[in-house]
Amino acid sequence: MSQSSFEKQIAATEQRYADHSSNRSQNEANLKVGGDWRQVETPKRVMKRLIDLELQELASKLIATEMVTQPIQSAVKQGEEVSLLERIIEEDDLVSSRFLPIGTAVARSVGRITLRQQGRTIGYGTGFLVSPELLLTNHHVLETADIAADSFVEFDFYERQDGTTRPTIIHRFRPRQFFLNDQRLDYAFVAVAPQSDEGLPLSDRGFIPLIAESGKVLIGEPVNVIQHPAGEPQQIAIRNNNITDVIDDFLHYAADTERGASGSPVCNMQWVLAALHHSGVPQRNLQGQILMIDGQVFDGRPENAERIAWKANEGVRISSIVQDVRSKLSADPNRHRIDIFETVIQNRPGTVPRPTVETPVTLTIPAITERSTSLQNYSDEQLDRLNPEEIAQMMSELDANTLEFSLETTSTEPILVAEGDSWFDYAPAGLDIIACLKHFFNYKIYNVSKAGDTLDNMAWGTTFDQRRWQRDRSPLEETLAAIEKHRPPVVLLSGGGNDIAGDELLSFLNHKISGLPPLRSDYTRFMLKDYFLQIFRFISNEIWKKDANIHIVVHGYGYPIPDGRAVIRLLGFSFVGPWLRPALVAKGYEQRTEQQQIMRDLIDDFNSMLEQFAATDSRLHYVDLRSLISDSDWQNELHLKNSGYRRVAGAFNQVIRPLIPS
């Protein structure tokens, strides 16, 4: 690692730490009873964390009451009350008997990197496996592919009961196969030889999955760091670091009592990877010089960098690293490099490391409860009365039953892939088509959908990252990676609703006072018959490039009721909507009958486009929902009640089932 690169990282970290000093004191106050946790964390991240920790009852109360500052009964101190975030932190105190075995399994994938150049050792770092062939460490550890080619990683370098540290296992790096790093986010990925110098397979070591989603740890929660400080035998700092701030691409956590190690994994209390440790805020003397743990002034030599005395640590968020790598690889002509990285990504929260032979871990999948199993026999009225707690429990069980995606296990059952909008991704507001297909019809589905997504963004990516000044990667790329991995016989597509709702709807309408027909015929024809149709063709052709035998199922929408109803408010914030009535009223259409007729005409045109599209190829299948969905099925302007989605899933099942080989 070069001195200049290391010092630049320290300077940038110190600047971020200084800029957010007021944030830390505010965070500390808002973490306590009476504070407003929304000033510390976002509702979405809090909800995800509650579900990850299986606190569905608490999550449902938040949805139902929108409580923010009300105290909550402590889980560990009888008769005492705590704040919401303090209650979540308490859950980290209640570690299960799996904590140490899983931690041991994770530690097997962490190794000491020995840096060599021109035949001599120039320093050490820490790195860890994120797949059976890729290792992650810092840019300032592996600055170039040439350095990586001469260096190696050493596993099982820890002190045994008898005081020895041998035998260890050495694997060489293969940067020609894969090498990618970034100085700003201070990460480096490098391929590792599949066999060690001793002839042992790398695949037996296990790995720590990368999870693309954010929300794996909240401010105030403790984290664990597995490290090789100063090249010494492996050490694990357990619970000595609490998250003090989340700043864009970085996490700050309180200094631990051990010396940090560049390239170490930073995990939450469930051993899910949250960040890549890379730098910190050093202690300085009155002259502003950096101090080492023995009180001496840091001499600037890279080999002494790990002996710096830190007062705060900084890690790079894994979600930011994944996003940055995808952005870089999206323009890479070498498709193999993209495929290597995409096989690493786990998109589901709650992923646990794959157990290894040496330290077996039994993973118990929660059984479906008697109450949720009886949903099969629920009437429409009973299904629509499900409270948020029951919906959250059901979604948690569905995630548990598809845990094999995360654990990379094999299955004889086919796995479908889905990409779409909120009709495929509506939780926690209610059930959706994918949830109903899983629960009521027992399908296994890898879901790439995102509420609010548009056809434009699904196919090509239209969101702009302000921080990186780049267009974000399209969801289709993740869909194609999932297709290559799971080889589904059927792919489900849902899209177009958000392209003709909200502000987009205004573009389809003439103003009533103009005297022209309500729908702009030329614009509507172009958008539906040309542009939308081209998007569906593009997505289908890209799917068939992966596998020409895949069947693709698309669906239209029913006739919505433009009455101004939106999704329920969650955690004190309006979720979304309404989407139809505001645009119609803005263009002068205030009568319910004319509003409904406009939407019927637009929905008919949309369905006509899909019907025309599906008629072009026998591998395309169109589900017409207009006669199936009645006015009473609508929960709000764009979404159905739970019972409505169950019926729609039944229509999907009739199309999908014959397409799956027996």
Side-chain angles (χ1 to χ4, degrees):
M1 66 184 79
S2 70
Q3 179 179 347
S4 59
S5 175
F6 181 69
E7 290 177 343
K8 286 179 181 178
Q9 293 294 345
I10 289 180
T13 300
E14 284 188 298
Q15 186 63 55
R16 283 188 289 268
Y17 188 79
D19 290 345
H20 289 79
S21 59
S22 60
N23 283 23
R24 289 189 295 278
S25 59
Q26 292 173 6
N27 290 344
E28 186 175 352
N30 283 314
L31 280 172
K32 301 182 183 302
V33 173
D36 186 348
W37 58 265
R38 294 176 303 177
Q39 303 301 316
V40 180
E41 281 288 359
T42 66
K44 182 178 180 180
R45 281 169 51 86
V46 171
M47 177 61 76
K48 281 170 55 62
R49 195 72 180 113
L50 287 170
I51 299 302
D52 287 352
L53 293 172
E54 298 183 359
L55 298 175
Q56 286 91 348
E57 182 177 357
L58 182 56
S60 68
K61 289 179 180 177
L62 287 170
I63 294 175
T65 66
E66 302 179 13
M67 62 183 182
V68 176
T69 61
Q70 294 96 321
I72 301 168
Q73 180 62 46
S74 170
V76 296
K77 301 174 183 177
Q78 188 173 2
E80 292 190 23
E81 293 182 326
V82 295
S83 71
L84 169 66
L85 293 188
E86 285 177 320
R87 173 64 184 87
I88 293 174
I89 294 169
E90 283 183 340
E91 198 67 22
D92 292 319
D93 292 328
L94 304 172
V95 295
S96 72
S97 59
R98 298 194 310 165
F99 177 78
L100 291 178
I102 294 179
T104 303
V106 171
R108 292 194 75 242
S109 65
V110 181
R112 180 180 74 166
I113 295 175
T114 298
L115 301 170
R116 294 182 62 81
Q117 200 169 31
Q118 297 178 348
R120 65 185 185 89
T121 298
I122 59 173
Y124 298 98
T126 301
F128 54 97
L129 296 172
V130 294
S131 82
E133 57 184 327
L134 286 187
L135 177 139
L136 175 60
T137 186
N138 290 138
H139 173 280
H140 74 260
V141 173
L142 295 180
E143 293 188 43
T144 67
D146 289 340
I147 292 177
D150 292 335
S151 304
F152 59 85
V153 60
E154 187 175 10
F155 294 106
D156 293 345
F157 181 46
Y158 61 90
E159 188 172 335
R160 275 69 169 173
Q161 288 184 339
D162 60 3
T164 64
T165 57
R166 294 292 187 270
T168 59
I169 308 299
I170 292 176
H171 284 264
R172 307 289 168 174
F173 294 134
R174 290 189 170 179
R176 289 187 178 181
Q177 180 179 339
F178 191 98
F179 184 81
L180 180 67
N181 64 1
D182 181 83
Q183 184 172 12
R184 187 183 74 84
L185 293 183
D186 199 18
Y187 67 78
F189 288 91
V190 63
V192 183
Q195 283 197 320
S196 70
D197 289 1
E198 299 78 16
L200 298 176
L202 182 69
S203 57
D204 285 351
R205 303 217 64 81
F207 57 91
I208 309 176
L210 299 183
I211 299 177
E213 295 178 338
S214 64
K216 295 175 280 291
V217 66
L218 301 179
I219 292 174
E221 285 195 87
V223 290
N224 306 316
V225 183
I226 307 175
Q227 54 192 330
H228 284 276
E232 295 177 0
Q234 189 179 90
Q235 301 174 22
I236 305 179
I238 297 178
R239 298 179 52 81
N240 285 337
N241 297 285
N242 286 68
I243 300 296
T244 59
D245 213 347
V246 178
I247 307 170
D248 296 330
D249 300 315
F250 303 93
L251 299 178
H252 283 174
Y253 33 101
D256 60 3
T257 56
E258 302 291 339
R259 292 158 280 170
S262 298
S264 300
V266 180
C267 301
N268 66 17
M269 289 300 291
Q270 291 71 47
W271 294 107
V272 174
L273 181 64
L276 168 68
H277 176 74
H278 85 121
S279 185
V281 179
Q283 299 279 2
R284 293 182 181 269
N285 60 19
L286 295 177
Q287 290 73 43
Q289 297 169 305
I290 296 176
L291 297 176
M292 295 193 293
I293 57 175
D294 58 3
Q296 298 297 312
V297 173
F298 174 54
D299 56 11
R301 291 190 298 172
E303 57 267 31
N304 287 331
E306 300 298 349
R307 301 189 181 278
I308 291 175
W310 304 102
K311 65 179 180 181
N313 286 324
E314 183 178 77
V316 189
R317 296 172 66 181
I318 294 301
S319 54
S320 296
I321 292 175
V322 171
Q323 185 178 10
D324 191 69
V325 172
R326 283 174 164 169
S327 177
K328 283 181 167 61
L329 292 181
S330 63
D332 195 323
N334 187 345
R335 184 69 204 182
H336 181 60
R337 282 165 52 84
I338 300 175
D339 294 340
I340 288 177
F341 183 76
E342 284 303 322
T343 59
V344 175
I345 304 304
Q346 301 290 338
N347 290 284
R348 293 182 177 274
T351 302
V352 295
R354 183 169 60 181
T356 63
V357 176
E358 184 173 312
T359 54
V361 179
T362 301
L363 298 174
T364 303
I365 306 300
I368 301 295
T369 64
E370 181 180 349
R371 179 164 174 76
S372 64
T373 301
S374 66
L375 292 183
Q376 297 282 356
N377 302 317
Y378 266 30
S379 67
D380 286 355
E381 184 179 359
Q382 289 173 314
L383 197 63
D384 292 336
R385 286 205 306 263
L386 286 177
N387 61 44
E389 178 184 352
E390 290 169 318
I391 291 176
Q393 174 67 20
M394 175 179 171
M395 300 307 294
S396 176
E397 291 165 355
L398 291 176
D399 283 344
N401 288 334
T402 55
L403 191 60
E404 63 271 14
F405 294 157
S406 298
L407 297 179
E408 303 286 333
T409 61
T410 59
S411 174
T412 57
E413 299 179 62
I415 296 172
L416 311 187
V417 171
E419 179 178 349
D421 50 23
S422 57
W423 278 45
F424 281 7
D425 177 39
Y426 193 41
L431 303 182
D432 52 54
I433 296 174
I434 300 303
C436 289
L437 284 172
K438 289 179 178 180
H439 185 85
F440 297 107
F441 301 97
N442 299 316
Y443 287 101
K444 293 185 180 297
I445 303 174
Y446 185 96
N447 194 9
V448 187
S449 306
K450 182 179 180 181
D453 215 350
T454 62
L455 285 172
D456 233 3
N457 186 62
M458 289 180 199
W460 298 305
T462 58
T463 57
F464 183 73
D465 189 329
Q466 295 282 359
R467 290 176 293 171
R468 296 179 176 83
W469 285 61
Q470 293 178 351
R471 175 177 56 85
D472 281 342
R473 176 177 175 271
S474 73
L476 178 59
E477 294 180 44
E478 183 182 348
T479 300
L480 296 176
I483 288 171
E484 188 160 347
K485 179 177 180 180
H486 297 297
R487 297 297 178 186
V490 178
V491 171
L492 311 177
L493 295 180
S494 175
N498 294 303
D499 300 82
I500 58 176
D503 291 341
E504 305 294 338
L505 178 57
L506 290 167
S507 300
F508 286 86
L509 301 174
N510 289 311
H511 201 287
K512 184 176 181 179
I513 298 177
S514 70
L516 296 170
L519 288 177
R520 293 175 174 170
S521 56
D522 290 344
Y523 181 81
T524 301
R525 186 181 307 109
F526 167 74
M527 290 301 294
L528 298 182
K529 304 294 185 180
D530 293 331
Y531 196 65
F532 289 4
L533 186 60
Q534 178 60 24
I535 292 176
F536 277 107
R537 285 172 176 163
F538 175 80
I539 292 175
S540 300
N541 288 332
E542 291 300 304
I543 290 172
W544 287 330
K545 287 179 183 178
K546 293 293 182 183
D547 186 344
N549 296 315
I550 288 177
H551 289 269
I552 300 172
V553 178
V554 298
H555 73 89
Y557 299 95
Y559 300 121
I561 310 299
D563 55 7
R565 283 179 293 171
V567 178
I568 60 172
R569 286 168 56 83
L570 297 178
L571 305 179
F573 289 78
S574 291
F575 192 56
V576 276
W579 306 264
L580 305 179
R581 191 170 184 274
L584 291 164
V585 172
K587 288 298 182 86
Y589 303 102
E590 299 183 3
Q591 299 299 316
R592 177 64 60 85
T593 54
E594 60 184 356
Q595 291 173 345
Q596 287 185 294
Q597 188 58 52
I598 291 170
M599 294 312 304
R600 289 182 70 90
D601 291 343
L602 190 54
I603 291 299
D604 281 339
D605 287 344
F606 182 82
N607 278 277
S608 176
M609 176 272 297
L610 283 179
E611 188 174 14
Q612 173 189 342
F613 167 64
T616 61
D617 196 293
S618 61
R619 295 167 294 180
L620 297 172
H621 307 270
Y622 156 62
V623 184
D624 187 350
L625 301 175
R626 285 172 291 183
S627 62
L628 182 66
I629 298 173
S630 66
D631 288 355
S632 62
D633 285 325
W634 292 94
Q635 181 71 35
N636 50 58
E637 287 190 325
L638 281 194
H639 305 97
L640 305 180
K641 298 176 182 177
N642 295 333
S643 58
Y645 279 126
R646 178 170 63 177
R647 274 199 301 281
V648 169
F652 268 73
N653 177 57
Q654 292 179 7
V655 175
I656 296 170
R657 193 64 67 183
L659 303 177
I660 297 178
S662 57

